[in-house]
């Protein structure tokens, strides 16, 4: 792909459509791309996942600035990783992160999807991921990307793909089509085009647009970007450039998506929103019988999207494999290990379902399982269970616990770090350089972050912007000085921050609120950071 003089500076055009490569997309760890999350999603769908405990090969197709692939490489040192992106700014940043962290197991390739056929030397991968890209691709690069997956994903390998979905996103593409048409790429840099597009969107919204009035989802998208521009103008522009102004943006019905995957030899295996793999948790109780009557897996997923009015999916597809329920169950009950996120006395005994409903976690089996994972990572098969518990009952209960989001999913063989659990030091230190990098990045930008764990092989613990700043301050000055240190820094800033009362300027955050947050952070969340081998 080569930009022509008529297009925006640095933008990709021609057969590949319009996409920006002169503005880097702000990165962060995408927890759903973690190898173990991908494996668990496939197992919940009845497939035996590939081994992700030690040596495996992973490709991040469209890796952005490399944050996710570098984080995964850091906590999976025996595995090898490749990040591919067409944006030179992204690849340069990824290589810089890898060099700073001393990562020898991650390699970056700068190439467009239509150029990937030139890189047969990359070999095969057990896992391939594509986040936030698929629904923005024109047909030629989409076909090229899927040809790469078909050629390079090993049999039995997993493909993670995030995409926007119909019917939930049906009203948004017409809005972006209007803005793209009225503010064409010719003669404008990417940021100029985005600025003009947002100005036009603001004018249309203020003067009244019947389309927005009749389509709440589109109106919500407009409000999101216009509100974000007021609170964080640079981030709003960059996100608008990459998402709203990309010519290929086309949400898909699930059956169309599944057909495109099938053409590459892939079939649907599961969703990384793990609870949505269980019928009882995916839809309200009244729709459960409806779903049970639909046996075709593609039709069932399409129906779920309509019941939920889904607008985004993060799916796992598997190549050249047949369902193996026994092996999948064995993985979930005997290999996967769970570690409690909440203390036993605060564990929730009900999983919420849309529509205000809930699925209970009650009975002798749950009484045995729920508190068992506090002491350390265990498989459910290792727990002392009530007499006469069947394998089917244990499998079902394990699936429910996994879906409850109350337990960290840990790798087979994972044990508590030598650094924890124990007494939390007054001046805690991050154990791994990658988490120091992620925390520093979050503090400098006053943004949220997700730290990663070697016990999980990826997904770890999410920190809000203030939690990140307070943990950083505690590591430099101790817990007792953290609140006052952060308060002093925030007093010089007007950056908006999320709060229970809505966005609030950084210099209006009260010292007493920071002190209260320190107390909360220093409790269970810091303990979990320690238990997961991230804090000492």
């Amino acid at each position: 792909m080569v930009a022509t003089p008529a297009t925006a500076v640095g933008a990709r055009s021609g057969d590949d459509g319009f996409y920006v490569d002169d503005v880097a997309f702000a990165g962060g760890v995408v927890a759903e791309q973690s190898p173990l999350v991908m494996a668990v999603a496939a197992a919940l769908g009845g497939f035996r996942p590939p081994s992700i405990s030690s040596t495996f090969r992973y490709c991040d197709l469209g890796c952005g600035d490399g944050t996710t692939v570098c984080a995964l490489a850091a906590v999976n040192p025996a595995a090898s990783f490749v990040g591919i992106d067409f944006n030179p700014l992204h690849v340069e940043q990824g290589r810089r992160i890898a060099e700073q962290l001393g990562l020898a197991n991650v390699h970056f390739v700068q190439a467009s999807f239509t150029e990937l056929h030139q890189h047969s030397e990359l070999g095969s991968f057990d896992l391939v991921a594509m986040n936030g890209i698929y629904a923005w691709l024109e047909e030629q690069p989409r076909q090229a990307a899927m040809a790469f997956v078909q050629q390079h994903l090993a049999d039995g390998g997993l493909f993670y793909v995030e995409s926007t979905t119909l019917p939930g996103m049906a009203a948004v593409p017409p809005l972006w089509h209007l803005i793209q048409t009225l503010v064409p790429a010719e003669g404008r840099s990417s940021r100029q085009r985005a600025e003009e597009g947002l100005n036009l969107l603001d004018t249309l919204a203020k003067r009244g647009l019947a389309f927005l009035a009749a389509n709440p989802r589109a109106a919500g998208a407009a409000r999101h970007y216009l509100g974000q521009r007021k609170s964080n103008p640079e981030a709003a522009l960059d996100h608008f450039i990459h998402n709203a102004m990309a010519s290929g943006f086309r949400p898909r019905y699930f059956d169309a998506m599944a057909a495109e995957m099938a053409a590459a030899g892939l079939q649907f295996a599961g969703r990384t929103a793990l609870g949505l793999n269980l019928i009882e948790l995916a839809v309200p109780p009244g729709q459960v019988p409806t779903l049970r009557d639909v046996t075709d897996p593609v039709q069932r997923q399409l129906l779920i999207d309509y019941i939920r009015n889904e607008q985004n999916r993060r799916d796992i597809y598997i190549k050249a494999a047949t369902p193996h329920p026994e092996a999948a169950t064995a993985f979930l009950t005997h290999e996967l290990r769970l570690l409690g996120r909440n203390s036993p006395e605060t564990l929730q005994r009900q999983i919420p379902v849309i529509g205000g409903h809930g699925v209970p976690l009650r009975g002798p089996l749950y009484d045995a399982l729920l508190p068992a994972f506090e002491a350390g990572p265990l498989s459910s098969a290792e727990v002392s269970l009530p007499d006469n518990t069947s394998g089917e009952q244990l499998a079902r209960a394990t699936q429910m616990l996994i879906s409850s989001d109350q337990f960290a999913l840990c790798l087979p063989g994972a044990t508590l770090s030598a650094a924890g659990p124990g007494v939390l030091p007054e001046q805690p230190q991050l154990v791994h350089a990658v988490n120091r990098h992620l925390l520093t990045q979050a503090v400098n930008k006053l943004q949220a972050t997700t730290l990663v764990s070697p016990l999980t092989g990826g997904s770890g613990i999410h920190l809000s912007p203030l939690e990140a700043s307070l943990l950083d301050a505690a590591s430099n000055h101790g817990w007792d000085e953290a609140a006052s240190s952060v308060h002093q820094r925030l007093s010089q800033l007007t950056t908006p921050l999320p709060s229970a009362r809505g966005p609030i300027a950084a210099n209006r955050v009260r010292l007493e609120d920071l002190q209260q947050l320190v107390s909360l952070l220093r409790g269970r969340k810091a303990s979990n950071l320690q238990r997961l081998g991230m804090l000492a």
Side-chain angles (χ1 to χ4, degrees):
M1 296 184 296
V2 179
T4 64
T7 63
V9 178
R12 298 297 178 115
S13 63
D15 291 336
D16 286 359
F18 177 90
Y19 197 76
V20 173
D21 70 355
D22 60 334
V23 177
F25 191 82
V29 173
V30 180
E32 293 85 353
Q33 285 185 230
S34 297
L36 185 56
V37 174
M38 295 170 64
V40 171
L44 287 171
F47 292 89
R48 170 70 193 187
S51 175
I52 39 79
S53 294
S54 55
T55 57
F56 58 86
R57 299 198 73 232
Y58 184 113
C59 178
D60 193 353
L61 195 55
C63 64
D65 66 6
T67 298
T68 293
V69 72
C70 283
L72 295 178
V75 293
N76 293 279
S80 62
F81 293 80
V82 173
I84 299 174
D85 204 279
F86 85 114
N87 190 326
L89 300 175
H90 287 163
V91 172
E92 179 185 354
Q93 174 70 2
R95 289 172 175 162
R96 184 162 55 246
I97 295 172
E99 182 178 358
Q100 290 172 352
L101 298 178
L103 299 175
N105 62 332
V106 61
H107 170 66
F108 287 91
V109 174
Q110 182 186 337
S112 70
F113 294 149
T114 52
E115 296 166 341
L116 286 177
H117 66 279
Q118 303 171 15
H119 293 273
S120 58
E121 79 283 355
L122 292 175
S124 66
F125 297 95
D126 303 291
L127 306 167
V128 176
M130 181 185 282
N131 188 78
I133 297 171
Y134 193 91
W136 283 262
L137 293 175
E138 296 282 8
E139 188 59 18
Q140 183 175 341
R142 185 197 68 77
Q143 290 182 0
M146 293 312 300
F148 177 88
V149 174
Q150 182 176 20
Q151 179 182 354
H152 291 272
L153 184 63
D155 287 354
L158 303 180
F159 177 48
Y160 160 91
V161 58
E162 184 266 347
S163 63
T164 52
T165 304
L166 297 172
M169 288 292 286
V172 176
L175 180 61
W176 299 155
H177 173 77
L178 175 67
I179 302 301
Q180 291 176 24
T181 302
L182 296 182
V183 187
E186 286 76 12
R188 298 172 173 87
S189 72
S190 296
R191 279 203 169 93
Q192 286 174 335
R193 189 182 187 211
E195 184 72 47
E196 290 184 37
L198 282 170
N199 287 339
L200 175 61
L201 185 61
D202 189 30
T203 298
L204 292 172
K206 287 179 178 177
R207 293 177 179 174
L209 202 63
F211 175 79
L212 292 180
N215 293 278
R217 185 75 73 188
R223 285 194 301 270
H224 167 76
Y225 280 112
L226 295 175
Q228 190 183 37
R229 184 168 69 158
K230 292 180 180 178
S231 61
N232 193 338
E234 184 174 353
L237 276 177
D238 289 354
H239 198 275
F240 193 75
I241 290 166
H242 285 275
N243 286 318
M245 305 303 276
S247 63
F249 180 56
R250 291 176 184 86
R252 285 163 169 78
Y253 293 105
F254 179 80
D255 56 338
M257 186 76 173
E260 292 171 3
M261 296 295 114
L266 307 174
Q267 63 178 309
F268 175 73
R271 301 181 69 169
T272 60
L274 300 176
L276 299 185
N277 294 295
L278 305 181
I279 291 177
E280 299 93 329
L281 304 181
V283 299
Q287 291 285 11
V288 170
T290 311
L291 282 184
R292 293 198 192 281
D293 290 338
V294 179
T295 57
D296 181 87
V298 172
Q299 293 177 355
R300 176 179 285 185
Q301 291 299 314
L302 179 65
L303 178 57
I304 288 174
D305 286 350
Y306 272 80
I307 292 172
R308 299 178 58 85
N309 195 32
E310 205 74 89
Q311 56 182 316
N312 178 271
R313 292 183 65 106
R314 298 173 184 267
D315 290 335
I316 301 298
Y317 290 84
I318 192 166
K319 180 182 177 185
T322 56
H324 196 322
E326 295 81 8
T329 296
F331 172 80
L332 294 173
T333 58
H334 288 72
E335 298 181 44
L336 177 69
R337 296 191 164 202
L338 305 182
L339 180 66
R341 295 182 185 275
N342 303 322
S343 60
E345 61 273 13
T346 61
L347 286 169
Q348 300 300 308
R349 290 299 191 110
Q350 182 169 277
I351 304 177
V353 179
I354 60 170
H357 305 284
V359 174
L361 304 176
R362 300 193 179 278
L365 180 53
Y366 287 111
D367 292 341
L369 286 171
L370 280 165
F373 306 107
E374 173 66 12
L378 290 175
S379 70
S380 59
E382 293 177 285
V383 177
S384 179
L385 302 174
D387 293 339
N388 301 319
T389 299
S390 69
E392 183 178 352
Q393 289 172 325
L394 178 60
R396 192 62 177 169
T398 302
Q399 292 173 347
M400 286 293 179
L401 295 188
I402 291 168
S403 302
S404 75
D405 198 30
Q406 298 187 89
F407 302 92
L409 309 181
C410 298
L411 292 166
T415 58
L416 284 182
S417 165
V423 177
L424 196 65
E426 170 58 30
Q427 193 166 328
Q429 298 299 316
L430 291 165
V431 176
H432 298 278
V434 63
N435 283 328
R436 168 45 62 188
H437 166 78
L438 293 170
L439 189 66
T440 299
Q441 187 179 55
V443 171
N444 289 342
K445 297 180 179 180
L446 208 54
Q447 293 178 349
T449 191
T450 297
L451 304 185
V452 292
S453 167
L455 272 69
T456 69
S459 59
I461 291 181
H462 180 80
L463 299 174
S464 71
L466 288 179
E467 287 176 328
S469 292
L470 290 169
L471 181 59
D472 177 70
S475 70
N476 290 313
H477 309 292
W479 288 111
D480 291 343
E481 301 297 324
S484 58
S485 174
V486 171
H487 187 259
Q488 183 176 1
R489 175 174 179 252
L490 296 182
S491 67
Q492 310 299 316
L493 303 173
T494 58
T495 307
L497 294 168
S499 76
R501 301 181 295 273
I504 181 174
N507 58 10
R508 297 186 61 188
V509 175
R510 301 179 302 179
L511 177 60
E512 51 266 38
D513 291 336
L514 292 173
Q515 291 169 334
Q516 183 179 17
L517 188 55
V518 166
S519 178
L520 294 172
L521 177 61
R522 197 173 180 178
R524 187 68 185 192
K525 184 164 281 191
S527 174
N528 284 340
L529 285 166
Q530 188 183 45
R531 283 150 49 87
L532 286 168
M534 302 152 75
L535 199 65

